[in-house]
Amino acid sequence: MSTFEERKAGFLAIELDDAGYGNIASAVLAAESAGFHVATFKDTPDAGRVNALQRAAFAGPVTRTIAVVPEVDTVYTEPFHVSTQLASLDYVSGGRAGWIATAAESPEAAAAVGRSFVQGEALAQEAAASIEVSRRLWDSWEDDAVIRDVATGRYIDVDKLHYADFETPADFAGPAYSVKGPSIIPRPLQGQLPVLAVASLVGEGLVPVGAVDAVLVTAPTPELLAAEIRDVRARLGSSVAIVAELDVVLDARGQAAASRSGAAEETGQARFVGSAAGLADVLDSLLREADGVRIHPATLDVELEELSRLVLPELRRRGSLRAPIQDGTFRNVLGLAPAENRYSTTAAATVAAGK
C-alpha cells in the first residue's frame, strides 16, 4: 500500500442508496457525468431488494470512469463467495470495483442465516478474517496463470495457482473455519480491490491497519469532523486514505434546506443543511484534511442536481477537487501502487536466493 501524502485536490464519493433498482443506471450515469469519482451502495435488508453488490454489478458495465463500491457484510456471509463475487465485480466494471467491509451487530441477519448473534470485539475478528481470506484468494491466481495453450490443451498453468491455506486464529470468538483455495476466478483486474471500513473498526486489537486501504470517518457535526479526521490520521498513520462522511440537505427546487431537513433520515453523522455555496465551502475545508468525502444526499435526484450544477464545478474551480481519471481504476483514485501478488513475489524471491 502506498503512503497517502497531503494533496492539493481530493475526490468525492456519493451514496446511491436512494436509487431504486430501475433507476440505478440513470443515477450512476448522472453521478459520473457530474464528476464524482466513486459511487457507493448501501446494503440494507429491505424485502424484495437486491443486495448492494448486485446493484453495483448492474452499474459497473454502464459506466466508464466512476468506481462502484458496495457494502458487503463480513459477519454473516461466506468469505469465499464474497471474494469471488467482488472479483467478478472488478471484471464487469473494468477494474473500478472496491469493497466497504461492514461488520454490524444484527440479530436479524444472524437469524436469517441460522448463526449465533455476533457482537463486541468478535465483529472485528470476523471482519479481519474475511478480508484476509479475500486478499489471499485474489492472489491465488498469478496474473499470467491463464495461458490458453491450444497445442497442449492447457487453459491454465497450474504452477501459477496457489493455495490460500487460511485458518481462523486460536482465539477466534466465532465458529472456526478454514479456506483452502485457490479461487475459482482469475485474479481481479486490479490485483487487489481496495478495501474500506469504518475507522472505529480499524486499529490495534481490531482489523489491522494494513488490511484496509481507506477508512470512513464520522462525527456528530461538520464542525467536529475535521478534528476527528486529524485524530484518526494520527491514530492510524498515513498508509490509509481518509474518507469523511457527510449527510447533505440543500436548498433546491424552490425549497429551503431547513424545511426539507425534517424529512431526512437521522444517521448520527455530520449533516450539512444549507445552500450549494455553503456546501462548497465545507467540502473545500474537509478536502484539505481528508483524501475524499462521501456525500449522503437527503434525496438523491434533488441533491444530485444541485451538486452537479453548482457544487462540483465550484470545487474544481478552486482546485480542491481533482478531475475524474479516464480509463483508470479505483486504486488510481486512491493513489495506490499496482498490487503485488504475495505468492509470485515469494516465488521470485526464493529463486533469487537460490533456494
Side-chain angles (χ1 to χ4, degrees), residues 14 26 61 65 102 124 138-139 181 203 237 242 248 250 290 330 332 336 355:
I14 186 167
S26 59
T65 62
T102 61
W138 291 335
D139 277 349
I242 302 291
V248 170
L250 291 174
F330 188 28
N332 294 149
L336 295 168
K355 297 179 180 178

Side-chain angles (χ1 to χ4, degrees), residues 195-275:
V195 178
L196 297 77
V198 295
S200 59
L201 194 64
V202 180
E204 186 176 354
L206 302 168
V207 174
V209 176
V212 300
D213 302 292
V215 293
L216 304 169
V217 177
T218 63
T221 67
E223 292 76 18
L224 295 173
L225 191 51
E228 183 65 19
I229 292 167
R230 290 191 289 270
D231 288 347
V232 170
R233 184 87 74 187
R235 178 170 67 88
L236 300 183
S238 60
S239 65
V240 295
I242 302 291
V243 183
E245 300 270 50
L246 185 66
D247 291 350
V248 170
V249 188
L250 291 174
D251 299 335
R253 299 183 182 178
Q255 288 185 293
S259 67
R260 300 179 56 235
S261 63
E265 179 185 358
E266 287 290 344
T267 64
Q269 60 193 26
R271 170 180 290 186
F272 173 85
V273 180
S275 67

Side-chain angles (χ1 to χ4, degrees), residues 98-125:
W99 175 20
I100 299 175
T102 61
E105 295 185 4
S106 177
E108 297 80 11
V113 298
R115 262 205 63 179
S116 57
F117 175 44
V118 179
Q119 58 186 330
E121 294 181 359
L123 291 170
Q125 283 189 326

Side-chain angles (χ1 to χ4, degrees), residues 3-74:
T3 299
F4 288 84
E5 300 174 352
E6 187 177 350
R7 299 188 180 96
K8 294 181 180 179
F11 65 88
L12 285 182
I14 186 167
E15 170 56 50
L16 297 185
D17 184 55
D18 199 29
Y21 188 68
N23 298 323
I24 290 175
S26 59
V28 74
L29 285 170
E32 183 176 62
S33 177
F36 280 94
H37 304 82
V38 183
T40 65
F41 300 83
K42 186 178 179 181
D43 200 21
T44 51
D46 296 338
R49 185 187 196 189
V50 294
N51 65 34
L53 200 154
Q54 291 170 321
R55 283 181 280 136
F58 183 83
V62 302
T63 52
R64 293 192 59 188
T65 62
I66 195 168
V68 288
V69 185
E71 291 184 357
V72 183
D73 175 56
T74 60

